[in-house]
């Protein structure tokens, strides 16, 4: 998981960030102002400074923020001037938007703020619908508005062209002030801010919802925030039923606010088309007597704090019920709380002002288990060499009520004036009396002079939190009330997980301060490291039993000195004595900072994240202090409990392996030369593994049959291994068996579904038939055990061990499983290459959607969630866990994908569109084809390894567009769908999406932070070496990127270099001598000129016309060949590509039913094909290789098919092994001619060789 940031503000207005990969608070040096509050998300951080203005800090990235401004120049033809800017009075403006309704001259475009800059001047867009236009970029039509074409006709009376100019956001990693709008009412100064809503909609990219509260209690919404416009457009005021003091916005549709009276408001009606919502609902405070002062929301959680600093959790909150059902009192006393990513909770304690993290928050237990303090130093603490060796980390948590000194020769000054000193009833002495008291109680401090103890002039810091001031006042009043006796307690509030009276809670502390029964006592001691966790162990009482030799010095003020009872009576941590308001230095070297605000909206952690924030240097001392309060009886009880738990765990783990049969070793010894049996010298052995499974019968009627499965593995005297698979079944009451040699197995494929834990075994013959041996195990664990055992046995029989070679061929199935094959020199031999159905594929752990490689060993992949991964050089992971060969370079890998179902409706004259269709219609809830019924209830994740992470939601990002409710319309099922209703549309559908998540392991490391959609690596020869390996990629937003610093030693590279484009792209490929081809989302093709090792990004794009009436979707470039696949599954070859003219001349159609193409460094062509004929049916997703590819015949002659179906991606761009040419002898020339006359086999329908033909396109 990549690092992320936790943001916080201390009471002096300084902004800090804490990285999940770091161990210290880093101060934001760019912040020249003091800040009150911050609201962080992944890509940026919003803040309110002490001048009440809102500032934005956008994190720096290799991907720039660019916004495209466009305007259209319109002209009309007249007989005198031809085309000119003299338009009719009823025409549109000469310079207008695309609709012609808005006047947009070039000089009318201004930068939104000083944080933007222009990239270049205005220029004409010469691309129209994926095809190049004339030099002037004009498109023609009969009239305004009409359908435009790039060709001028005799009746073309009007024309227009598009002008483009880009502006770039330049204020990165700095606090930029958000400008106020010139028009409309200006909002009054802001007091609170909250940012969220990034999961409400994916369009536009990076969309955010920013809510703010003004000093007058008004609520404002910032509209138009997205990736290309991070500052937003304008403020909009919302009507509210009262004065709001604080607001909180979640990632989806939860927005809660706190009223001045202590009640809470819930915003309803928030959705994709209405991110502001439409109404408010009032919710009562958790406690009737005490109002709420703070609220924080997440995806499905709401936390609140009341004025008595109690923490509350709202149960029953979700998207359908944003108000929830009731409050639950939680343990702890906090002044503010914040909910971050994954509903993780952060808070600031009211006692020590430390940041706390809520442990144990999961999707099944949203309230968590315990609070734990974030105990890390600030960046200034590590550079402070004068700090005492016994001092605590600056962010540590103090337990006990003592006032801690910076050193033995310095004292605290916590009183702002003499009036405040007197108001606490002598609780804090003056410097002279304090020094005298210290000198009488400790001999080491007697030598300190009064000059060293003089108090500097008081300096009041800029307090950044309103709750801080109220808490400070209430605590001072509380100290006055506690002078003469314990305070009166209010009504008790039931808290979740509260232990019974007389018992102790190991994990938490109720948060109530220990009430002193004697006179108030101020305890001064050197700084001692504290336990960062909440604990109910009374450290104050424990410390009173320590001797002076332990280094603790007690000072009693206002009571008998030296007494045990008075030593235990200390002032509260939240008292005025803990705030150093009079010191010139904000914090001493041994003091923890006082936090006023924390924001976890950008901090990606969960309950299992390995954070190093909770380990303080004072752990040993804390454990020592804690052990003083543990009795021998408690220790004995704990030991007994731990022993019982270990015994139960051992029994449980042994029971899990009872159903496994033991592997049997049978020695096959051979007689010696003397005729005696050689004992102790094993000539060979046979290992037998048996089990019960089910087998999918080969003949009709096909059904699952119970069988006995056995694996016999032979170990020869020379170490060679082989084996046989046996399937024993019964047919017509007769026992029969099937067998397959292990060295004939070509691939083992797991096929997980809800019904069976199945896997398929392929051999070369069964690959040709498209009919593998399908077996089903009783449990998933048993299936993984067999897969691991069979995979190791197959590798042993072929002598393949360890990670894949640099020349390996990689592929990915439609389920995301990764397979790799080691190419042999005979694979690309000519004229008789090894059939690719004999290739052996082995699985590598991990889960990817796309994978690319080259012969230098650089391998990159992209997951379904667009996350980039780089290969670490290991082998294993997944179901190989536990094998000795799979422990190195194996890391955790996650992936997220969406599952789609369709809601279908038909129109009738009475009720309109309903879910009652005709008898011949598709299911009203179905998949994309309409052939399978898929409802919300019965649709499951792709496999049991996936878990749902969201609810069903309407998907608006469907090809063809949708209306406001997500519907697409058509004349009938199936047909071409469009996003607007017409009179001829009698059916409609809309797509629902639900996200699921997979967690696995494999030899992959994440490459943050830019999500990618396509990737390509320069292929090179087997002996070629490159100092820098060129690597290009397409981001999920369509930006073209070039990776810098990629080498075989550092395959992840160092940074991204953005390559400018005029439109979003979707595919890119780099071939030999740095040929870079790319395809835009509109299907147009481009060639990047002047790319070299010295100029890795090139200079400019050259537009390449696509095949007639076709839109390309993928391109692959080899040594001299360029192949492309269009959206209809046609494969095209680019003619005329030469070093002097690398753009080529024309396209030639090769085949159809092609899904993906990969061209290797030797110009070998491999594809993923559909509609391949098998023994039982057509197979989709089959690996095929082009035969007959020669330097003089780069298009090849026919297809040879290999493993499949169910494959989705393949790359041969690392296979640079050239096979030796076979010279045919004279006697065999006749045979060669005879073989050349036989028609080659081709699994794909042949097409006429038309250079611009679409062919007979067959859909998948």
């Amino acid at each position: 998981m990549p690092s992320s940031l936790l943001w916080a503000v201390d009471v002096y207005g300084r902004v800090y960030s804490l990285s999940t990969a770091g161990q210290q608070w880093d101060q934001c040096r760019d912040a020249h102002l003091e800040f009150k509050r911050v609201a962080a998300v992944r890509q940026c951080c919003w803040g309110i400074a002490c001048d009440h203005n809102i500032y934005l800090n956008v994190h720096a990235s290799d991907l720039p923020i660019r916004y495209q401004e466009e305007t259209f120049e319109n002209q009309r033809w007249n007989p005198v001037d031809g085309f000119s800017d003299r338009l009719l009075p009823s025409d549109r403006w000469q310079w207008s938007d695309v609709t012609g309704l808005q006047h947009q001259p070039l000089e009318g475009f201004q930068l939104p703020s000083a944080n933007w800059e222009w990239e270049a001047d205005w220029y004409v867009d010469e691309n129209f619908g994926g095809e190049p236009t004339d030099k002037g970029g004009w498109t023609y039509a009969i009239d305004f508005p009409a359908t435009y074409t790039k060709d001028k006709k005799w009746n073309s009376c009007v024309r227009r062209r598009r002008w483009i100019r880009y502006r770039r956001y330049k204020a990165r990693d700095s606090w930029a002030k958000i400008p106020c709008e010139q028009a409309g009412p200006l909002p009054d100064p802001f007091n609170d801010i909250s940012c969220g809503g990034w999961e409400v909609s994916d369009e536009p990219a990076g969309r955010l919802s920013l809510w703010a509260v003004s000093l007058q209690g008004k609520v404002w919404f910032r509209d138009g925030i997205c990736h290309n416009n991070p500052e937003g457009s304008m403020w909009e005021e919302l009507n509210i039923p009262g004065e709001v003091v604080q607001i909180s916005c979640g990632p989806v549709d939860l927005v809660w606010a706190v009223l001045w009276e202590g009640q809470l408001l819930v915003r309803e009606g928030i959705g994709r088309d209405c991110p502001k919502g439409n109404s408010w609902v009032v919710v009562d405070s958790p406690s009737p007597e005490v109002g709420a002062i703070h609220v924080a929301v997440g995806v499905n959680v709401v936390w609140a704090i009341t004025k008595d600093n109690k923490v509350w959790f709202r149960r029953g909150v979700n998207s359908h019920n944003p108000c929830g059902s009731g409050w639950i009192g939680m343990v702890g006393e906090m002044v503010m709380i914040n909910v971050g990513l994954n509903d993780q909770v952060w808070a600031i304690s009211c006692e020590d002002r430390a940041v706390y993290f809520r442990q144990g928050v999961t999707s099944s237990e949203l309230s968590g288990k315990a609070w734990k303090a974030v105990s890390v130093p600030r960046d200034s603490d590590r550079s402070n060499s004068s700090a005492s060796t016994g001092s605590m980390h600056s962010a540590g948590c103090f337990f006990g009520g003592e006032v801690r000194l910076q050193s033995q020769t310095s004292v605290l000054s916590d009183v702002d004036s003499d009036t405040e000193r007197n108001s606490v009833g002598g609780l804090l002495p003056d410097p002279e009396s304090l020094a005298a008291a210290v000198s009488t109680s400790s001999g080491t401090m007697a030598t300190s002079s009064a000059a060293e103890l003089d108090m500097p002039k008081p300096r009041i810091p800029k307090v950044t939190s309103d709750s801080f001031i109220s808490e400070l006042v209430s605590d001072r009043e509380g100290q006055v009330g506690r002078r003469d006796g314990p305070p009166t307690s209010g009504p008790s509030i039931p808290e979740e997980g509260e232990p019974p009276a007389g018992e102790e809670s190991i994990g938490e502390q109720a948060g109530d301060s220990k009430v002193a029964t004697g006179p108030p006592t101020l305890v001064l001691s050197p700084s001692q490291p504290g336990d960062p966790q909440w604990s109910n162990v009374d450290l104050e009482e424990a410390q009173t039993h320590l001797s002076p030799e332990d280094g603790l010095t007690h000072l009693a003020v206002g009571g008998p000195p030296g007494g045990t009872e008075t030593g235990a009576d200390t002032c509260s941590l939240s008292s005025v004595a803990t705030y150093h308001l009079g010191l010139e230095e904000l914090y001493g070297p041994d003091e923890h900072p006082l936090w006023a605000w924390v924001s976890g909206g950008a901090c990606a952690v969960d309950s299992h994240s390995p954070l190093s924030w909770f380990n303080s240097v004072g752990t040993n001392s804390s454990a020592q202090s804690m052990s003083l309060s543990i009795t021998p009886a408690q220790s004995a009880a704990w030991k007994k409990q731990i022993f019982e738990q270990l015994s139960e765990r051992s029994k449980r783990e042994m029971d899990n392996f009872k159903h496994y049969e033991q592997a049997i070793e049978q020695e096959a010894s051979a007689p010696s030369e003397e005729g005696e049996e050689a004992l102790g010298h094993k000539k060979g052995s046979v290992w037998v593994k048996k089990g019960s499974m089910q087998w999918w019968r080969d003949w009709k009627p096909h059904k699952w049959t119970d069988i006995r499965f056995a694996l016999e593995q032979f170990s020869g005297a020379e170490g060679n291994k082989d084996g046989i698979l046996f399937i024993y079944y019964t047919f017509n009451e007769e026992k029969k068996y099937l067998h397959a040699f292990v060295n004939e197995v070509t691939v083992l494929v797991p096929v997980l579904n809800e019904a069976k834990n199945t896997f398929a075994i392929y051999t070369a013959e069964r690959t040709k038939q498209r009919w593998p041996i399908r077996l089903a195990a009783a449990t998933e664990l048993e299936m993984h055990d067999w897969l691991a055992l069979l995979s190791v046995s197959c590798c042993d029989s072929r002598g393949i061990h360890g990670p894949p070679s640099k020349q390996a061929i990689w592929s990915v199935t439609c389920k995301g499983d990764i397979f790799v094959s080691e190419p042999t020199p005979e694979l690309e031999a000519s004229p008789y290459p090894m059939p690719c159905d004999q290739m052996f594929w082995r699985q590598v752990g991990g889960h990817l959607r796309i994978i690319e490689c080259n012969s230098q060993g650089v391998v990159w992949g992209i997951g379904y969630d667009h996350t980039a991964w780089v290969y670490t050089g290991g082998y294993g992971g997944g179901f190989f866990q536990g094998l000795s060969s799979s422990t190195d370079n194996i890391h955790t890998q996650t992936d997220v994908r969406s599952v789609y179902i369709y809601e279908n409706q038909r129109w009738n004259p009475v009720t309109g569109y309903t879910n009652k269709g005709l008898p011949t219609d598709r299911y009203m809830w179905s998949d994309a084809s309409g052939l399978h019924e898929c409802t919300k209830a019965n649709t499951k994740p792709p496999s049991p390894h996936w878990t749902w992470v969201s609810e069903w939601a309407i998907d608006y990002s469907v090809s063809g567009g949708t209306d406001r409710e997500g519907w697409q319309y058509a004349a009938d099922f199936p047909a071409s769908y469009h996003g607007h209703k017409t009179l001829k549309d009698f059916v409609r559908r809309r797509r629902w999406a639900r996200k699921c998540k997979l967690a696995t392991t494999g030899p992959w490391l994440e490459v943050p932070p830019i999500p990618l959609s396509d990737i390509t690596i320069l292929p090179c020869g087997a002996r070629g070496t490159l100092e820098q390996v060129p690597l290009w990629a397409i981001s999920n937003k369509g930006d073209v990127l070039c990776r810098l610093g990629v080498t075989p030693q550092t395959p992840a590279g160092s940074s991204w270099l953005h390559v400018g484009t005029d439109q979003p792209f979707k595919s890119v490929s780099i071939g030999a001598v740095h040929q870079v081809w790319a395809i835009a989302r509109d299907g147009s093709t481009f060639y990047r000129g002047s790319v070299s090792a010295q100029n890795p990004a090139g200079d400019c794009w050259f537009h390449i016309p696509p095949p007639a009436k076709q839109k390309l979707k993928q391109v692959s470039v080899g040594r001299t060949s360029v192949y492309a696949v269009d959206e209809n599954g046609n494969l095209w070859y680019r003619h005329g590509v030469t070093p002097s003219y690398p753009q080529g001349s024309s396209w030639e159609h090769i085949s159809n039913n092609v899904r993906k193409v990969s061209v290797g460094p030797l110009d070998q062509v491999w594809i993923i094909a559909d509609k391949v004929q098998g023994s039982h049916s057509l197979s989709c997703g089959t690996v095929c290789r082009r035969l007959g590819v020669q330097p003089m015949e780069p298009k090849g002659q026919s297809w040879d098919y290999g493993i499949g179906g169910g494959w989705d991606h393949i790359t041969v761009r690392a296979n640079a092994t050239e096979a030796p040419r076979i010279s045919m002898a004279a006697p065999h020339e006749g045979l060669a001619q005879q073989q050349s006359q036989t028609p080659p086999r081709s699994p794909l329908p042949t097409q006429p060789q038309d250079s611009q033909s679409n062919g007979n396109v067959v859909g998948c």
Side-chain angles (χ1 to χ4, degrees), residues 328-331 358 367-369 494-500 504-510:
I328 301 175
M330 307 301 291
V331 174
R358 186 71 175 176
S367 59
K369 298 179 180 179
E495 297 184 349
E496 183 185 50
E498 184 173 321
E504 294 183 348
S505 174
I506 302 300
E508 298 191 44
Q509 178 184 3

Side-chain angles (χ1 to χ4, degrees), residues 1080-1100:
R1081 289 184 179 178
D1082 61 1
S1084 56
T1085 311
F1086 291 88
Y1087 173 80
R1088 187 70 175 177
S1090 304
V1091 179
S1092 63
Q1094 295 74 25
N1095 186 19
D1099 291 336
C1100 60

